[in-house]
Amino acid sequence: MTDKTKSTNKMWGGRFEMSPAELMVRINASIGFDKALAPQDIRGSKAHAAMLAEAGIISKSDAREIARGLDQVGAEIAAGTFTFSDALEDIHMNIENRLAELIGPAAGRLHTARSRNDQVALDFRMFVRDALDAFDDGLAELQKALAEQALAHAAVVMPGFTHLQPAQPVTFGHHMLAYVEMFGRDRARFADARRRMNECPLGAAALAGTSFPIDRHMTAEALGFDRPTANSLDSVADRDFALETLAAATISAAHLSRLSEEIVIWMTPQFGFVRLPDKWTTGSSIMPQKRNPDAAELCRAKVGRIAGAFQGLTMVMKGLPLAYSKDMQEDKEQTFDALANYHVALAAMAGMIADLEPVPERLAAAAGSGFATATDLADWLVRTLKMPFREAHHATGAIVKMAEKRGVGLEDLSLADMQKVEKRITNDVFTVLSVASSVKSRTSYGGTAPQNVQKMAKSWLKRLEKGRKAV
Ligand code: ARG
């Protein structure tokens, strides 16, 4: 349905003879989602106007009017009284149009030496940067909750698993600290992405720069960037800052997913390793006995859409010739969605971890099952009898087989039984067969000994007090 009357588009109506088709408006409009960029857009425009005035490109009084008008637009959007229009396509034109309604012709000077291409590159970059800062805070919260659990339960024994089969006893605190390390690396990845992306694209204009005597260093500084970007084509053409953030978020969401899965398993009646207060669970409409760990399940699942956004944006960007193409408008929705969902998962996980209560009896009972101290027995043979480890492994295997046949634990065998396999074994062996002595002996750096765990948890808690500098 094409309107044959001359276009009334104020931004570029000059060379157009027809209004856009209704479907053109529909496929083109991004205002439905890019309104999320309003705060960044207003901030960027204010910095741009101030720079234009400083450089003598517009008058100081116009710049003042523009700033005042932009503040009012911001207030209207925040208050929910702003009317967004599809015909005005996106947040940039919606804001500029309203600015013109509010302050008149001076509004038309704001877009001097600027294009929507560098404008959107700036807004989106600042949005992603804000998200990165929020992630760092969220991850630090989560690390703190984990480190506090680690300190409180530094000596609580539990089974350590490989293949989800009992392997060797560890402590609950040690298990918590494993995640502190993972989320620490996630923070470092985000911090690294932030450092790399913190260059200001404003002033690249459409793609080639501008003939106006703008001061890109001034706007870069005003907007919290380390420097302006160095190539105008690159400035408007790439979205690698979003890709990198999504890639790091995908990795971190995978960490969240693994921790979630452990909580789900630990909460089953069969494991019963932890309790989680009702506020993190839901019931069933049909089965009255149920307490489902829905928050953990959702945190487990979020990686799907986050990895999807990373894939999706990679596919949007691949094969795009320089510089800007409208394809790049497809960068936002999935990124917004992924970043918001990652953030909420992070917060929910921090809340769950803070409220998690390990059940020491269940953990200890499980820690002792499955001949989890067999390695300690083998190590004893090596240490005390100077046996080569391979031989000790073999002898221990024979002892485990004997215990298994009788349906008892290693520590329940008699000395005489063990001596049937290796006659030099003495009573001293029983000191290493208990779970507590096993974990206590693992004092190697990074090992699970409660004293290690306590020390490590304390050092993490101290580092976490330093906030962002801890990364
Ligand atoms: N809404 C657009 C986007 O998100 C803004 C940039 C438009 N630039 C253009 N040359 N049409 O990408």
Side-chain angles (χ1 to χ4, degrees):
M1 248 197 284
T2 312
D3 184 343
K4 292 264 161 65
T5 58
K6 196 165 188 305
S7 162
T8 51
N9 190 308
K10 286 189 212 124
M11 308 291 167
W12 59 65
R15 60 115 50 223
F16 279 70
E17 292 190 349
M18 286 175 193
S19 305
E22 223 174 275
L23 273 170
M24 175 62 207
V25 173
R26 225 167 97 192
I27 195 172
N28 204 30
S30 55
I31 187 62
F33 49 87
D34 68 14
K35 57 169 82 137
L37 296 177
Q40 288 79 9
D41 198 68
I42 288 170
R43 205 179 148 203
S45 287
K46 283 176 76 176
H48 184 64
M51 181 277 292
L52 290 176
E54 194 62 36
I57 300 166
I58 65 172
S59 72
K60 298 239 147 112
S61 68
D62 279 348
R64 260 194 310 275
E65 276 301 279
I66 289 170
R68 189 185 58 80
L70 286 169
D71 282 339
Q72 189 173 334
V73 174
E76 289 175 3
I77 293 174
T81 56
F82 190 96
T83 320
F84 293 102
S85 145
D86 271 5
L88 289 166
E89 266 191 59
D90 57 24
I91 188 63
H92 322 293
M93 297 209 289
N94 269 269
I95 288 178
E96 197 184 317
N97 189 68
R98 179 66 184 142
L99 184 67
E101 285 174 10
L102 291 171
I103 69 166
R109 301 195 187 278
L110 170 61
H111 215 53
T112 315
R114 185 177 76 169
S115 149
R116 274 189 299 155
N117 295 351
D118 58 340
Q119 193 176 354
V120 75
L122 171 71
D123 295 358
F124 192 36
R125 203 179 277 237
M126 288 202 290
F127 185 96
V128 172
R129 189 177 65 179
D130 289 345
L132 284 172
D133 291 342
F135 294 168
D136 192 66
D137 293 341
L139 280 166
E141 262 316 289
L142 175 54
Q143 283 184 299
K144 201 164 146 242
L146 287 160
E148 269 161 6
Q149 286 284 7
L151 189 60
H153 307 290
V156 169
V157 292
M158 69 176 284
F161 297 93
T162 63
H163 314 266
L164 198 56
Q165 302 287 328
Q168 292 174 358
V170 295
T171 74
F172 188 78
H174 198 53
H175 202 115
M176 295 290 105
L177 285 182
Y179 283 101
V180 173
E181 297 290 334
M182 293 181 230
F183 293 123
R185 289 193 296 278
D186 293 343
R187 287 179 74 189
R189 264 183 285 274
F190 285 132
D192 194 36
R194 192 191 194 285
R195 265 192 292 277
R196 213 177 342 273
M197 65 112 78
N198 204 31
E199 297 182 341
C200 185
L202 188 62
L207 75 165
T210 175
S211 56
F212 288 99
I214 58 171
D215 183 351
R216 294 194 58 210
H217 292 273
M218 180 181 165
T219 39
E221 201 190 319
L223 296 169
F225 289 96
D226 296 328
R227 61 192 82 84
T229 49
N231 180 294
S232 61
L233 287 169
D234 171 48
S235 310
V236 293
D238 208 355
R239 296 291 182 264
D240 60 349
F241 60 88
L243 284 174
E244 201 174 350
T245 299
L246 289 172
T250 300
I251 295 173
S252 184
H255 286 153
L256 278 177
S257 187
R258 298 182 71 170
L259 179 53
S260 306
E261 167 68 354
E262 305 219 82
I263 293 174
V264 170
I265 295 177
W266 292 347
M267 278 184 63
T268 58
Q270 288 77 6
F271 271 73
F273 282 7
V274 293
R275 289 197 196 93
L276 196 61
D278 284 350
K279 66 177 180 183
W280 296 110
T281 62
T282 63
S284 156
S285 52
I286 174 169
M287 298 164 283
Q289 85 283 11
K290 296 273 275 188
R291 265 178 89 249
N292 300 326
D294 292 35
E297 292 166 78
L298 288 162
C299 288
R300 182 172 60 187
K302 291 295 184 193
V303 64
R305 66 165 84 199
I306 296 163
F310 174 58
Q311 287 275 341
L313 183 53
T314 305
M315 291 308 107
V316 167
M317 297 307 295
K318 87 170 271 296
L320 279 189
L322 302 191
Y324 178 86
S325 295
K326 199 60 174 264
D327 305 54
M328 287 161 72
Q329 181 165 285
E330 290 290 310
D331 59 0
K332 281 175 266 316
E333 237 176 328
Q334 49 189 337
T335 305
F336 291 164
D337 174 82
L339 300 184
N341 276 279
Y342 171 69
H343 195 214
V344 77
L346 214 51
M349 182 54 84
M352 276 189 284
I353 293 295
D355 289 344
L356 205 63
E357 294 165 32
V359 184
E361 321 78 72
R362 296 281 303 186
L363 288 161
S369 73
F371 314 107
T373 55
T375 314
D376 298 87
L377 172 54
D379 287 349
W380 185 91
L381 296 173
V382 169
R383 214 173 21 248
T384 316
L385 306 181
K386 309 287 176 239
M387 254 188 200
F389 183 77
R390 281 290 155 231
E391 219 174 282
H393 186 287
H394 196 82
T396 304
I399 294 170
V400 166
K401 200 159 135 198
M402 182 188 293
E404 194 173 27
K405 241 190 207 152
R406 298 197 197 157
V408 298
L410 287 177
E411 66 282 18
D412 304 318
L413 292 171
S414 69
L415 181 61
D417 287 334
M418 293 202 217
Q419 284 174 336
K420 273 181 212 145
V421 175
E422 169 52 60
K423 58 180 184 311
R424 290 176 296 162
I425 293 178
T426 66
N427 253 325
D428 180 62
V429 80
F430 290 100
T431 61
V432 302
L433 294 182
S434 84
V435 167
S437 65
S438 169
V439 294
K440 220 167 136 193
S441 72
R442 301 282 196 269
T443 52
S444 56
Y445 183 78
T448 196
Q451 67 186 77
N452 283 16
V453 172
Q454 219 172 54
K455 212 166 128 194
M456 210 53 107
K458 280 187 186 154
S459 114
W460 263 113
L461 287 168
K462 208 186 237 154
R463 261 172 84 179
L464 287 166
E465 273 168 25
K466 291 198 204 125
R468 220 159 277 165
K469 282 184 237 47
V471 186

PDB file of all heavy atoms in Angstrom, residues 212-237:
ATOM      1  N   PHE A 212      33.735  19.100   9.453  1.00  0.00           N
ATOM      2  CA  PHE A 212      33.622  20.078  10.550  1.00  0.00           C
ATOM      3  C   PHE A 212      34.774  19.889  11.541  1.00  0.00           C
ATOM      4  O   PHE A 212      35.235  18.764  11.753  1.00  0.00           O
ATOM      5  CB  PHE A 212      32.289  19.895  11.289  1.00  0.00           C
ATOM      6  CG  PHE A 212      31.109  20.351  10.488  1.00  0.00           C
ATOM      7  CD1 PHE A 212      30.333  19.428   9.781  1.00  0.00           C
ATOM      8  CD2 PHE A 212      30.758  21.693  10.415  1.00  0.00           C
ATOM      9  CE1 PHE A 212      29.237  19.832   9.038  1.00  0.00           C
ATOM     10  CE2 PHE A 212      29.664  22.107   9.675  1.00  0.00           C
ATOM     11  CZ  PHE A 212      28.897  21.180   8.981  1.00  0.00           C
ATOM     12  N   PRO A 213      35.205  20.974  12.156  1.00  0.00           N
ATOM     13  CA  PRO A 213      36.353  20.875  13.080  1.00  0.00           C
ATOM     14  C   PRO A 213      35.941  20.326  14.448  1.00  0.00           C
ATOM     15  O   PRO A 213      36.036  21.018  15.459  1.00  0.00           O
ATOM     16  CB  PRO A 213      36.830  22.331  13.173  1.00  0.00           C
ATOM     17  CG  PRO A 213      35.576  23.138  12.987  1.00  0.00           C
ATOM     18  CD  PRO A 213      34.715  22.374  12.015  1.00  0.00           C
ATOM     19  N   ILE A 214      35.467  19.100  14.470  1.00  0.00           N
ATOM     20  CA  ILE A 214      34.982  18.524  15.738  1.00  0.00           C
ATOM     21  C   ILE A 214      36.160  18.110  16.622  1.00  0.00           C
ATOM     22  O   ILE A 214      37.280  17.933  16.127  1.00  0.00           O
ATOM     23  CB  ILE A 214      34.068  17.287  15.503  1.00  0.00           C
ATOM     24  CG1 ILE A 214      34.818  16.202  14.704  1.00  0.00           C
ATOM     25  CG2 ILE A 214      32.783  17.704  14.810  1.00  0.00           C
ATOM     26  CD1 ILE A 214      34.061  14.888  14.629  1.00  0.00           C
ATOM     27  N   ASP A 215      35.870  17.946  17.903  1.00  0.00           N
ATOM     28  CA  ASP A 215      36.901  17.496  18.850  1.00  0.00           C
ATOM     29  C   ASP A 215      36.468  16.142  19.400  1.00  0.00           C
ATOM     30  O   ASP A 215      35.720  16.057  20.360  1.00  0.00           O
ATOM     31  CB  ASP A 215      37.044  18.522  19.981  1.00  0.00           C
ATOM     32  CG  ASP A 215      38.155  18.132  20.955  1.00  0.00           C
ATOM     33  OD1 ASP A 215      38.683  16.993  20.842  1.00  0.00           O
ATOM     34  OD2 ASP A 215      38.478  18.949  21.831  1.00  0.00           O
ATOM     35  N   ARG A 216      36.948  15.105  18.772  1.00  0.00           N
ATOM     36  CA  ARG A 216      36.535  13.756  19.173  1.00  0.00           C
ATOM     37  C   ARG A 216      37.112  13.357  20.524  1.00  0.00           C
ATOM     38  O   ARG A 216      36.553  12.515  21.227  1.00  0.00           O
ATOM     39  CB  ARG A 216      36.921  12.736  18.088  1.00  0.00           C
ATOM     40  CG  ARG A 216      36.150  12.941  16.776  1.00  0.00           C
ATOM     41  CD  ARG A 216      36.296  11.732  15.870  1.00  0.00           C
ATOM     42  NE  ARG A 216      35.838  10.525  16.498  1.00  0.00           N
ATOM     43  CZ  ARG A 216      36.321   9.307  16.235  1.00  0.00           C
ATOM     44  NH1 ARG A 216      37.282   9.157  15.352  1.00  0.00           N
ATOM     45  NH2 ARG A 216      35.841   8.252  16.872  1.00  0.00           N
ATOM     46  N   HIS A 217      38.226  13.938  20.873  1.00  0.00           N
ATOM     47  CA  HIS A 217      38.799  13.624  22.184  1.00  0.00           C
ATOM     48  C   HIS A 217      37.904  14.153  23.299  1.00  0.00           C
ATOM     49  O   HIS A 217      37.756  13.540  24.338  1.00  0.00           O
ATOM     50  CB  HIS A 217      40.217  14.177  22.292  1.00  0.00           C
ATOM     51  CG  HIS A 217      41.169  13.466  21.379  1.00  0.00           C
ATOM     52  ND1 HIS A 217      41.822  12.321  21.742  1.00  0.00           N
ATOM     53  CD2 HIS A 217      41.527  13.716  20.092  1.00  0.00           C
ATOM     54  CE1 HIS A 217      42.566  11.890  20.729  1.00  0.00           C
ATOM     55  NE2 HIS A 217      42.403  12.728  19.715  1.00  0.00           N
ATOM     56  N   MET A 218      37.302  15.303  23.026  1.00  0.00           N
ATOM     57  CA  MET A 218      36.434  15.911  24.039  1.00  0.00           C
ATOM     58  C   MET A 218      35.200  15.038  24.294  1.00  0.00           C
ATOM     59  O   MET A 218      34.843  14.754  25.437  1.00  0.00           O
ATOM     60  CB  MET A 218      36.005  17.305  23.580  1.00  0.00           C
ATOM     61  CG  MET A 218      35.109  17.993  24.585  1.00  0.00           C
ATOM     62  SD  MET A 218      34.591  19.632  23.969  1.00  0.00           S
ATOM     63  CE  MET A 218      33.245  19.949  25.099  1.00  0.00           C
ATOM     64  N   THR A 219      34.531  14.604  23.230  1.00  0.00           N
ATOM     65  CA  THR A 219      33.340  13.764  23.440  1.00  0.00           C
ATOM     66  C   THR A 219      33.734  12.413  24.043  1.00  0.00           C
ATOM     67  O   THR A 219      33.042  11.891  24.901  1.00  0.00           O
ATOM     68  CB  THR A 219      32.564  13.553  22.123  1.00  0.00           C
ATOM     69  OG1 THR A 219      33.481  13.373  21.045  1.00  0.00           O
ATOM     70  CG2 THR A 219      31.651  14.719  21.829  1.00  0.00           C
ATOM     71  N   ALA A 220      34.859  11.888  23.585  1.00  0.00           N
ATOM     72  CA  ALA A 220      35.296  10.592  24.136  1.00  0.00           C
ATOM     73  C   ALA A 220      35.465  10.710  25.645  1.00  0.00           C
ATOM     74  O   ALA A 220      34.975   9.860  26.407  1.00  0.00           O
ATOM     75  CB  ALA A 220      36.610  10.163  23.478  1.00  0.00           C
ATOM     76  N   GLU A 221      36.104  11.764  26.065  1.00  0.00           N
ATOM     77  CA  GLU A 221      36.355  11.925  27.499  1.00  0.00           C
ATOM     78  C   GLU A 221      35.055  12.170  28.263  1.00  0.00           C
ATOM     79  O   GLU A 221      34.819  11.580  29.316  1.00  0.00           O
ATOM     80  CB  GLU A 221      37.337  13.066  27.717  1.00  0.00           C
ATOM     81  CG  GLU A 221      38.013  12.952  29.072  1.00  0.00           C
ATOM     82  CD  GLU A 221      38.813  14.196  29.441  1.00  0.00           C
ATOM     83  OE1 GLU A 221      39.486  14.751  28.546  1.00  0.00           O
ATOM     84  OE2 GLU A 221      38.751  14.590  30.619  1.00  0.00           O
ATOM     85  N   ALA A 222      34.210  13.035  27.691  1.00  0.00           N
ATOM     86  CA  ALA A 222      32.951  13.346  28.374  1.00  0.00           C
ATOM     87  C   ALA A 222      32.091  12.090  28.573  1.00  0.00           C
ATOM     88  O   ALA A 222      31.320  12.002  29.526  1.00  0.00           O
ATOM     89  CB  ALA A 222      32.178  14.382  27.569  1.00  0.00           C
ATOM     90  N   LEU A 223      32.217  11.139  27.673  1.00  0.00           N
ATOM     91  CA  LEU A 223      31.375   9.940  27.749  1.00  0.00           C
ATOM     92  C   LEU A 223      32.085   8.754  28.402  1.00  0.00           C
ATOM     93  O   LEU A 223      31.627   7.621  28.338  1.00  0.00           O
ATOM     94  CB  LEU A 223      30.889   9.579  26.340  1.00  0.00           C
ATOM     95  CG  LEU A 223      29.979  10.650  25.713  1.00  0.00           C
ATOM     96  CD1 LEU A 223      29.741  10.378  24.234  1.00  0.00           C
ATOM     97  CD2 LEU A 223      28.640  10.732  26.462  1.00  0.00           C
ATOM     98  N   GLY A 224      33.210   9.038  29.036  1.00  0.00           N
ATOM     99  CA  GLY A 224      33.881   8.001  29.820  1.00  0.00           C
ATOM    100  C   GLY A 224      34.698   7.018  29.001  1.00  0.00           C
ATOM    101  O   GLY A 224      34.976   5.903  29.466  1.00  0.00           O
ATOM    102  N   PHE A 225      35.075   7.398  27.786  1.00  0.00           N
ATOM    103  CA  PHE A 225      35.910   6.508  26.971  1.00  0.00           C
ATOM    104  C   PHE A 225      37.385   6.849  27.151  1.00  0.00           C
ATOM    105  O   PHE A 225      37.739   7.970  27.503  1.00  0.00           O
ATOM    106  CB  PHE A 225      35.532   6.636  25.487  1.00  0.00           C
ATOM    107  CG  PHE A 225      34.190   6.046  25.165  1.00  0.00           C
ATOM    108  CD1 PHE A 225      33.048   6.842  25.104  1.00  0.00           C
ATOM    109  CD2 PHE A 225      34.062   4.682  24.935  1.00  0.00           C
ATOM    110  CE1 PHE A 225      31.806   6.285  24.816  1.00  0.00           C
ATOM    111  CE2 PHE A 225      32.819   4.115  24.641  1.00  0.00           C
ATOM    112  CZ  PHE A 225      31.690   4.921  24.585  1.00  0.00           C
ATOM    113  N   ASP A 226      38.226   5.872  26.879  1.00  0.00           N
ATOM    114  CA  ASP A 226      39.662   6.099  27.019  1.00  0.00           C
ATOM    115  C   ASP A 226      40.211   6.965  25.894  1.00  0.00           C
ATOM    116  O   ASP A 226      41.198   7.669  26.053  1.00  0.00           O
ATOM    117  CB  ASP A 226      40.413   4.757  27.017  1.00  0.00           C
ATOM    118  CG  ASP A 226      40.019   3.923  28.228  1.00  0.00           C
ATOM    119  OD1 ASP A 226      39.730   4.528  29.285  1.00  0.00           O
ATOM    120  OD2 ASP A 226      39.975   2.682  28.119  1.00  0.00           O
ATOM    121  N   ARG A 227      39.579   6.871  24.723  1.00  0.00           N
ATOM    122  CA  ARG A 227      40.055   7.603  23.539  1.00  0.00           C
ATOM    123  C   ARG A 227      39.005   7.462  22.451  1.00  0.00           C
ATOM    124  O   ARG A 227      38.129   6.607  22.562  1.00  0.00           O
ATOM    125  CB  ARG A 227      41.386   7.016  23.045  1.00  0.00           C
ATOM    126  CG  ARG A 227      41.296   5.557  22.623  1.00  0.00           C
ATOM    127  CD  ARG A 227      42.667   4.919  22.418  1.00  0.00           C
ATOM    128  NE  ARG A 227      43.227   4.500  23.682  1.00  0.00           N
ATOM    129  CZ  ARG A 227      42.956   3.325  24.285  1.00  0.00           C
ATOM    130  NH1 ARG A 227      42.140   2.462  23.727  1.00  0.00           N
ATOM    131  NH2 ARG A 227      43.491   3.014  25.439  1.00  0.00           N
ATOM    132  N   PRO A 228      39.092   8.279  21.379  1.00  0.00           N
ATOM    133  CA  PRO A 228      38.199   8.039  20.243  1.00  0.00           C
ATOM    134  C   PRO A 228      38.703   6.855  19.417  1.00  0.00           C
ATOM    135  O   PRO A 228      39.896   6.544  19.451  1.00  0.00           O
ATOM    136  CB  PRO A 228      38.289   9.344  19.433  1.00  0.00           C
ATOM    137  CG  PRO A 228      39.513  10.047  19.891  1.00  0.00           C
ATOM    138  CD  PRO A 228      39.954   9.471  21.204  1.00  0.00           C
ATOM    139  N   THR A 229      37.806   6.210  18.693  1.00  0.00           N
ATOM    140  CA  THR A 229      38.213   5.140  17.770  1.00  0.00           C
ATOM    141  C   THR A 229      39.083   5.747  16.669  1.00  0.00           C
ATOM    142  O   THR A 229      38.943   6.922  16.335  1.00  0.00           O
ATOM    143  CB  THR A 229      36.986   4.490  17.116  1.00  0.00           C
ATOM    144  OG1 THR A 229      36.144   5.529  16.607  1.00  0.00           O
ATOM    145  CG2 THR A 229      36.205   3.654  18.109  1.00  0.00           C
ATOM    146  N   ALA A 230      39.941   4.929  16.076  1.00  0.00           N
ATOM    147  CA  ALA A 230      40.962   5.475  15.176  1.00  0.00           C
ATOM    148  C   ALA A 230      40.595   5.420  13.697  1.00  0.00           C
ATOM    149  O   ALA A 230      41.255   6.056  12.879  1.00  0.00           O
ATOM    150  CB  ALA A 230      42.284   4.737  15.403  1.00  0.00           C
ATOM    151  N   ASN A 231      39.555   4.682  13.361  1.00  0.00           N
ATOM    152  CA  ASN A 231      39.199   4.557  11.945  1.00  0.00           C
ATOM    153  C   ASN A 231      37.689   4.698  11.802  1.00  0.00           C
ATOM    154  O   ASN A 231      36.921   3.948  12.409  1.00  0.00           O
ATOM    155  CB  ASN A 231      39.677   3.198  11.417  1.00  0.00           C
ATOM    156  CG  ASN A 231      39.329   2.998   9.955  1.00  0.00           C
ATOM    157  OD1 ASN A 231      38.158   2.903   9.581  1.00  0.00           O
ATOM    158  ND2 ASN A 231      40.344   2.945   9.108  1.00  0.00           N
ATOM    159  N   SER A 232      37.271   5.671  10.981  1.00  0.00           N
ATOM    160  CA  SER A 232      35.847   5.989  10.923  1.00  0.00           C
ATOM    161  C   SER A 232      35.018   4.846  10.336  1.00  0.00           C
ATOM    162  O   SER A 232      33.887   4.612  10.761  1.00  0.00           O
ATOM    163  CB  SER A 232      35.632   7.280  10.128  1.00  0.00           C
ATOM    164  OG  SER A 232      36.109   7.126   8.806  1.00  0.00           O
ATOM    165  N   LEU A 233      35.573   4.117   9.380  1.00  0.00           N
ATOM    166  CA  LEU A 233      34.844   2.985   8.795  1.00  0.00           C
ATOM    167  C   LEU A 233      34.612   1.906   9.844  1.00  0.00           C
ATOM    168  O   LEU A 233      33.499   1.420  10.045  1.00  0.00           O
ATOM    169  CB  LEU A 233      35.637   2.378   7.632  1.00  0.00           C
ATOM    170  CG  LEU A 233      35.710   3.166   6.330  1.00  0.00           C
ATOM    171  CD1 LEU A 233      36.742   2.534   5.405  1.00  0.00           C
ATOM    172  CD2 LEU A 233      34.342   3.184   5.648  1.00  0.00           C
ATOM    173  N   ASP A 234      35.688   1.545  10.507  1.00  0.00           N
ATOM    174  CA  ASP A 234      35.609   0.529  11.554  1.00  0.00           C
ATOM    175  C   ASP A 234      34.613   0.942  12.637  1.00  0.00           C
ATOM    176  O   ASP A 234      33.842   0.124  13.138  1.00  0.00           O
ATOM    177  CB  ASP A 234      37.020   0.328  12.144  1.00  0.00           C
ATOM    178  CG  ASP A 234      37.001  -0.545  13.386  1.00  0.00           C
ATOM    179  OD1 ASP A 234      36.361  -1.612  13.341  1.00  0.00           O
ATOM    180  OD2 ASP A 234      37.628  -0.161  14.399  1.00  0.00           O
ATOM    181  N   SER A 235      34.626   2.226  12.966  1.00  0.00           N
ATOM    182  CA  SER A 235      33.790   2.735  14.067  1.00  0.00           C
ATOM    183  C   SER A 235      32.308   2.437  13.866  1.00  0.00           C
ATOM    184  O   SER A 235      31.589   2.147  14.814  1.00  0.00           O
ATOM    185  CB  SER A 235      33.947   4.249  14.193  1.00  0.00           C
ATOM    186  OG  SER A 235      35.293   4.601  14.239  1.00  0.00           O
ATOM    187  N   VAL A 236      31.852   2.568  12.613  1.00  0.00           N
ATOM    188  CA  VAL A 236      30.423   2.390  12.360  1.00  0.00           C
ATOM    189  C   VAL A 236      30.099   0.988  11.853  1.00  0.00           C
ATOM    190  O   VAL A 236      28.934   0.609  11.752  1.00  0.00           O
ATOM    191  CB  VAL A 236      29.895   3.432  11.343  1.00  0.00           C
ATOM    192  CG1 VAL A 236      29.960   4.829  11.949  1.00  0.00           C
ATOM    193  CG2 VAL A 236      30.663   3.368  10.032  1.00  0.00           C
ATOM    194  N   ALA A 237      31.135   0.208  11.524  1.00  0.00           N
ATOM    195  CA  ALA A 237      30.887  -1.064  10.834  1.00  0.00           C
ATOM    196  C   ALA A 237      30.955  -2.286  11.744  1.00  0.00           C
ATOM    197  O   ALA A 237      30.434  -3.335  11.394  1.00  0.00           O
ATOM    198  CB  ALA A 237      31.881  -1.245   9.700  1.00  0.00           C
TER     199      ALA A 237
END
